[in-house]
Amino acid sequence: MSRYALIAVSGPVKKSFTYRIPPTLGRLEPGQRVLVPFGRARKVGFYIRDVDPPPHVAIKDILRTIDLSSWFSGELFEFCQWIADYYFANPADCLTAALPPLFKKAVGPNYFWSDRRPERLPKELSSLFRRNGRLSTRALEKIAGTHPGLLNRLTKQEMIVERWPEQSMDNRRLLGYSADAGEKWDKHFKHRKKRPKPFAGTRTRSDLLAEGWTAHEIRAAVSAEILRPVMTDSPLPLLQFIRPRENLRDIVLSDEQVGALNTLRVALKAGFQPYLLHGVTGSGKTIVYCHLCQQVVQMKRTALVLTPEIALTSTTLAYFRGFFGDRVTVIHSAMTDRERLESWRGIRTGKYDIVVGPRSALFAPLNNLGVIIVDEEHDSSYKQDDPSPRFHGRDAAIMRARVNNIPIVLGSASPSIESYYNARKGRYQLIQLKSRPAGATLPSVTVVDMKSDRLRGDLPYLSYPLKKGIETRLARGEQVILYLNRRGHSPQLKCAECGLVSRCPNCRVNLTYHKIGRRLSCHYCGYLLGRYDSCPTCGSHEFLYLGVGTQKVEENIPRLFEGSLPARLDSDSATGRKMAYTILNDFAANKSNLLLGTQMVTKGLDFPGVTLVGVLSADQSLDWPDFRASEKAFAKLLQVAGRSGRSANPGEVMIQTYYPEHDVICDAARQDYETFFEREIASRKELSYPPFARIVNFVMVGDDERKLEREALAFRDRLTALIKTGTVEAKILGPAPCPMYRLRGRYRRHLFVKTNQMVKFVRAVTEWELREARFKIPSSIKVNVDVDPDDMM
């Protein structure tokens, strides 16, 4: 009797497909990769489960398996399925997100025997052993068919070693068959007048190239097994430039920290429970995390520590390396494919007890997971916008903790409104750290009215009080942080003769001027005009540099402050993997005394020498058309203020604003989260915004503006009918133009749905798409379904 499988294949729709399982394939495991015919192409798919075949439909066969078994534990596979179901995502996209980038190709690892013979190898398999030899496909099939699970056990014991195809071409060592290659060697190089000489011992790929080998010959020799990789036990060094923090174990915890730690230690044995660690800035949350993970490791379990962005990952990794040494690894997109593969393999095989990383680390294949920690849980960087799956790292982490039946700790000095509301309602357990340890106190905050106190002339972004404060701190040998959330030199460049302001042809926004390279750039789509020296309309070389960005401020610092050693930290200066860490490390070593940056300087940084923080413009995000605008502005101000006064020296914060009486500015100046929360939660309740309703944002994108508007209205009518005929309670708002109406050359409209029955609503929309492909919307219009959106632009 034929068997059929549901296979998930990446594509624009959420639908999975039915294929017949050939009898030769045997039993498949959930998440196992297979190669399937898909139209005229072949695609990598993921086995989901066995299904009954649909009637009267021609069903194709699975071509072959790519992996001998699934890379997913039952818990990780269940978690990926939940993300696909809740966030309206293709299951294949979710499963792919849990694997290294190499897995996007239809390739699997090669397997090699180690130089040690397994002690308990079954007799019928003993003839397969060949020291350091590669296992043939037939040998692998025999092991998998006669002894299920044996290959995985031998791999974990390092009796058999996985070797991925791309690794055979790296600079690790290759073994030359100088004695037993025989005729293969002569045949392989018969076209060469001067043949490379056989060699004993090992060579790296670089060595062989230097000896006259070509890259093609090396690849061919490896394929012919004239050369073969020599497996080494030493793992690939991962981000070794990030040095461990020293003397962390010598830090004496405060009474508050000990109390928080004791509560969380008890939680490790109590199963699933979210904890909200609300600690003021500088209260020592990270050191509590380290001690908690130490307890987890002593219990022979593993820990996952999430940070909102890659720059903060380096800082957190330094802390955990100070505690745990090389038992900590990291996963993020700035690593090379080879590094990510090495880290992923080390996690699977148990070489690492702790994983640190941004939202992508949530898919780390940790065994025996004991706790999840989400640092800066309020941060909007945890939300994935593009590509799919558009999940929220914090909320998804809570679900992974539930699936694994373990506690999860959400930490922040300015918790998200939703998290603090859940703590108030008893869904999360609240733990508070209300003071800084070791005698440090919260900084004093001064609000500077820029309407009366700003400098005149070409420095309108600086006030007299802040200028005087910077001079005083630098004269005393102390450090200063300046925060301006706008990179580049000038957000607008205007021709002094004809008044032309260059705009992005794709997004219809002003291009930002970057003095380095004299280029104009769109910060939304990447459109670039290089060497912008003259006006394209009148040819004038005279320009007005309107507005201010971090580059313009950095340019003026030396002439304003004698003895200043400025450093700039933004996405322009922190290029590459090392630059952000290098800039921060130099600042910590007092190689610079004034750090200027965007939101990268607002969180997770601990510099005892900083006694003054200046916010150059607190007004930028207050008027955004986003119900979270106040929350985001408050969080950024509170977080950046917390960088000051983190030692015995008292700190000060100066907030420059044109709205000194604004509620958000006043709450941030008092560092009063409770008052801000009470006012914000009342507004959310009145308008039925989260946490009093959940939101789905349908964003429709197309080239034809009129067609887009017409299809958006038709989609709203069909969605309204779906809600009325179903059992889901929901309210539709829109469609309306997105605040960023044109982006990357395409028009955008969106439609909101508010509901308190999110799971039921997403299920109804999923069933609708199965009945009517792409909701009956033409292929020229793209529809993105964003569940629990963070960015409403």
Side-chain angles (χ1 to χ4, degrees):
M1 181 178 178
S2 296
R3 293 170 48 231
Y4 298 87
L6 190 66
I7 304 295
V9 180
S10 290
V13 297
K14 190 176 183 294
K15 180 180 179 182
S16 297
F17 302 89
T18 302
Y19 287 86
R20 193 178 79 91
I21 305 174
T24 55
L25 293 189
R27 186 176 65 89
L28 299 177
E29 299 176 359
Q32 189 170 353
R33 292 186 305 155
V34 295
L35 191 66
V36 295
F38 197 82
R40 297 181 179 180
R42 295 181 174 188
K43 286 194 172 184
V44 176
F46 293 86
Y47 169 79
I48 304 299
R49 63 179 181 272
D50 281 11
V51 293
D52 295 326
H56 314 298
V57 175
I59 299 176
K60 299 178 180 180
D61 282 4
I62 296 173
L63 299 176
R64 63 177 175 87
T65 56
I66 298 172
D67 308 316
L68 293 175
S69 60
S70 175
W71 300 112
F72 295 86
S73 66
E75 294 166 339
L76 185 55
F77 180 80
E78 180 183 348
F79 170 65
C80 292
Q81 285 293 101
W82 176 84
I83 286 186
D85 292 338
Y86 182 79
Y87 289 102
F88 195 78
N90 188 315
D93 293 337
C94 301
L95 293 166
T96 299
L99 298 174
L102 177 65
F103 284 72
K104 293 180 181 179
K105 304 173 183 178
V107 295
N110 296 319
Y111 292 89
F112 293 82
W113 292 106
S114 70
D115 57 358
R116 297 176 295 160
R117 185 183 185 89
E119 295 180 359
R120 298 182 179 179
L121 192 66
K123 290 183 179 179
E124 64 271 23
L125 302 179
S126 59
S127 61
L128 301 178
F129 178 77
R130 183 159 61 94
R131 194 177 306 276
N132 292 324
R134 177 179 173 179
L135 281 83
S136 66
T137 302
R138 179 175 295 182
L140 291 170
E141 291 175 349
K142 185 174 182 179
I143 294 174
T146 59
H147 297 274
L150 178 61
L151 183 65
N152 286 336
R153 290 197 298 273
L154 293 176
T155 301
K156 288 182 179 180
Q157 296 167 6
E158 297 186 352
M159 299 295 178
I160 291 179
V161 187
E162 295 172 1
R163 184 74 166 177
W164 288 86
E166 74 162 17
Q167 287 182 281
S168 63
M169 291 296 101
D170 64 20
N171 286 331
R172 304 181 108 186
R173 296 197 175 276
L174 298 170
L175 175 67
Y177 286 104
S178 58
D180 58 350
E183 295 180 358
K184 284 185 181 180
W185 191 277
D186 294 332
K187 183 178 179 180
H188 189 69
F189 294 109
K190 65 180 180 180
H191 62 286
R192 293 281 298 270
K193 293 182 179 179
K194 185 178 181 181
R195 301 178 186 178
K197 294 181 180 180
F199 55 85
T202 59
R203 296 285 193 278
T204 66
R205 182 172 183 268
S206 299
D207 293 336
L208 295 176
L209 291 171
E211 293 175 6
W213 292 63
T214 66
H216 172 74
E217 287 171 341
I218 296 174
R219 286 194 296 268
V222 171
S223 299
E225 296 191 359
I226 294 172
L227 300 177
R228 64 180 183 185
V230 174
M231 309 309 299
T232 62
D233 293 330
S234 58
L236 183 71
L238 297 173
L239 306 183
Q240 290 301 302
F241 60 87
I242 300 176
R243 297 191 294 273
R245 289 284 294 260
E246 297 178 352
N247 304 320
L248 290 179
R249 294 180 182 272
D250 297 334
I251 296 176
V252 178
L253 300 184
S254 68
D255 292 341
E256 274 190 331
Q257 289 173 317
V258 170
L261 183 59
N262 288 338
T263 299
L264 294 172
R265 280 174 172 166
V266 173
L268 294 177
K269 300 178 182 178
F272 170 72
Q273 173 63 48
Y275 291 81
L276 178 61
L277 182 59
H278 180 200
V280 299
T281 55
S283 58
K285 294 183 289 294
T286 305
I287 202 71
V288 172
Y289 300 155
C290 291
H291 280 279
L292 178 62
C293 290
Q294 185 179 33
Q295 180 70 32
V296 171
V297 172
Q298 289 173 357
M299 296 169 63
K300 307 297 183 184
R301 306 193 76 176
T302 58
L304 174 61
V305 182
L306 298 181
T307 61
E309 54 190 49
I310 293 173
L312 189 56
T313 295
S314 301
T315 306
T316 307
L317 180 61
Y319 263 95
F320 278 85
R321 279 185 171 167
F323 249 80
F324 303 101
D326 59 5
R327 300 297 296 177
V328 184
T329 191
V330 63
I331 290 183
H332 57 64
S333 59
M335 300 166 67
T336 66
D337 288 354
R338 191 159 64 94
E339 286 175 330
R340 292 173 72 177
L341 177 63
E342 188 75 26
S343 183
W344 178 83
R345 289 180 61 208
I347 296 167
R348 283 188 63 243
T349 57
K351 288 183 178 180
Y352 303 114
D353 300 315
I354 299 171
V355 175
V356 177
R359 60 178 181 263
S360 58
L362 188 57
F363 298 98
L366 284 159
N367 298 310
N368 201 21
L369 189 58
V371 70
I372 298 176
I373 296 169
V374 183
D375 193 25
E376 309 292 358
E377 63 86 24
H378 67 277
D379 199 284
S380 59
S381 298
Y382 279 117
K383 185 65 167 74
Q384 168 90 1
D385 291 324
D386 266 322
S388 180
R390 297 176 180 85
F391 68 98
H392 197 296
R394 178 198 63 222
D395 299 343
I398 293 172
M399 178 51 64
R400 183 162 187 190
R402 182 187 291 275
V403 169
N404 286 268
N405 193 31
I406 58 173
I408 178 170
V409 182
L410 311 177
S412 178
S414 53
S416 66
I417 297 298
E418 293 90 334
S419 293
Y420 202 71
Y421 179 79
N422 284 330
R424 285 274 191 93
K425 291 296 182 179
R427 301 185 187 110
Y428 299 171
Q429 185 168 331
L430 181 64
I431 303 173
Q432 292 185 306
L433 300 175
K434 298 182 178 181
S435 60
R436 290 180 168 182
T441 58
L442 289 173
S444 62
V445 182
T446 302
V447 177
V448 180
D449 188 349
M450 294 296 282
K451 294 192 295 291
S452 58
D453 292 337
R454 72 181 185 275
L455 297 179
R456 305 299 171 176
D458 62 343
L459 300 170
Y461 52 84
L462 200 61
S463 65
Y464 289 101
L466 181 56
K467 182 177 183 295
K468 183 64 176 177
I470 295 172
E471 290 171 345
T472 301
R473 265 54 177 208
L474 295 183
R476 294 203 302 241
E478 297 168 357
Q479 292 178 301
V480 176
I481 290 178
L482 297 180
Y483 166 56
L484 176 63
N485 200 27
R486 181 181 287 144
R487 64 188 178 94
H489 184 277
S490 303
Q492 190 177 118
L493 188 68
K494 186 174 185 178
C495 177
E497 295 293 333
C498 68
L500 175 71
V501 175
S502 293
R503 293 169 62 85
C504 175
N506 302 320
C507 306
R508 295 183 178 176
V509 297
N510 293 336
L511 295 174
T512 300
Y513 177 67
H514 291 252
K515 192 166 185 179
I516 300 174
R518 302 193 301 279
R519 56 189 174 87
L520 291 174
S521 172
C522 175
H523 290 175
Y524 293 96
C525 73
Y527 177 80
L528 191 67
L529 289 175
R531 299 293 174 183
Y532 197 85
D533 298 320
S534 60
C535 175
T537 300
C538 68
S540 172
H541 297 279
E542 298 295 326
F543 296 101
L544 301 176
Y545 302 92
L546 306 178
V548 60
T550 52
Q551 289 181 9
K552 180 184 282 189
V553 178
E554 181 188 33
E555 179 182 72
N556 287 293
I557 285 175
R559 73 182 178 93
L560 286 171
F561 306 109
E562 185 178 353
S564 63
L565 300 171
R568 175 168 55 88
L569 181 62
D570 55 29
S571 57
D572 294 321
S573 64
T575 55
R577 302 187 303 158
K578 295 184 180 181
M579 282 308 300
Y581 177 78
T582 300
I583 292 169
L584 294 174
N585 212 41
D586 288 347
F587 188 68
N590 286 307
K591 294 181 181 179
S592 56
N593 55 12
L594 194 154
L595 180 63
L596 163 70
T598 56
Q599 62 178 354
M600 297 173 74
V601 304
T602 64
K603 53 207 169 190
L605 306 182
D606 185 7
F607 299 117
V610 174
T611 57
L612 175 64
V613 167
V615 179
L616 298 184
S617 177
D619 309 333
Q620 288 180 343
S621 59
L622 288 176
D623 298 325
W624 285 354
D626 185 343
F627 73 92
R628 299 186 196 274
S630 294
E631 179 184 3
K632 292 177 181 179
F634 176 82
K636 283 187 172 64
L637 292 175
L638 192 68
Q639 291 286 336
V640 74
R643 302 313 107 200
S644 180
R646 298 172 76 97
S647 65
N649 295 326
E652 184 179 6
V653 180
M654 293 188 182
I655 300 176
Q656 298 185 157
T657 175
Y658 284 89
Y659 310 116
E661 304 300 325
H662 196 288
D663 288 336
V664 173
I665 301 294
C666 294
D667 291 341
R670 295 192 304 269
Q671 302 177 68
D672 186 356
Y673 179 83
E674 292 289 341
T675 300
F676 169 78
F677 174 82
E678 293 294 348
R679 184 175 52 255
E680 186 69 13
I681 201 70
S683 174
R684 298 275 185 97
K685 185 174 183 179
E686 180 182 0
L687 299 173
S688 295
Y689 278 118
F692 300 100
R694 311 298 284 270
I695 294 177
V696 181
N697 188 14
F698 293 88
V699 181
M700 305 179 69
V701 183
D703 298 321
D704 187 323
E705 187 175 10
R706 291 185 177 179
K707 183 177 181 180
L708 176 65
E709 183 177 0
R710 184 172 63 251
E711 291 296 335
L713 291 170
F715 176 79
R716 180 201 60 190
D717 294 341
R718 293 195 294 272
L719 183 60
T720 301
L722 175 72
I723 293 173
K724 287 182 177 179
T725 57
T727 58
V728 181
E729 296 182 5
K731 181 180 180 181
I732 298 176
L733 302 177
C738 295
M740 279 292 299
Y741 183 46
R742 186 171 167 86
L743 185 65
R744 300 181 182 91
R746 308 191 77 188
Y747 298 97
R748 306 167 72 239
R749 299 182 76 86
H750 62 173
L751 178 149
F752 289 155
V753 173
K754 293 182 179 179
T755 180
N756 282 313
Q757 299 175 313
M758 182 65 80
V759 173
K760 187 180 290 187
F761 176 76
V762 173
R763 187 181 299 122
V765 173
T766 301
E767 293 172 354
W768 177 22
E769 191 199 35
L770 290 175
R771 294 192 304 269
E772 299 177 353
R774 303 188 76 255
F775 313 112
K776 278 191 172 181
I777 294 174
S779 59
S780 59
I781 295 176
K782 182 181 179 181
V783 183
N784 293 330
V785 182
D786 192 358
V787 177
D788 295 336
D790 187 86
D791 184 0
M792 314 299 285
M793 301 296 286

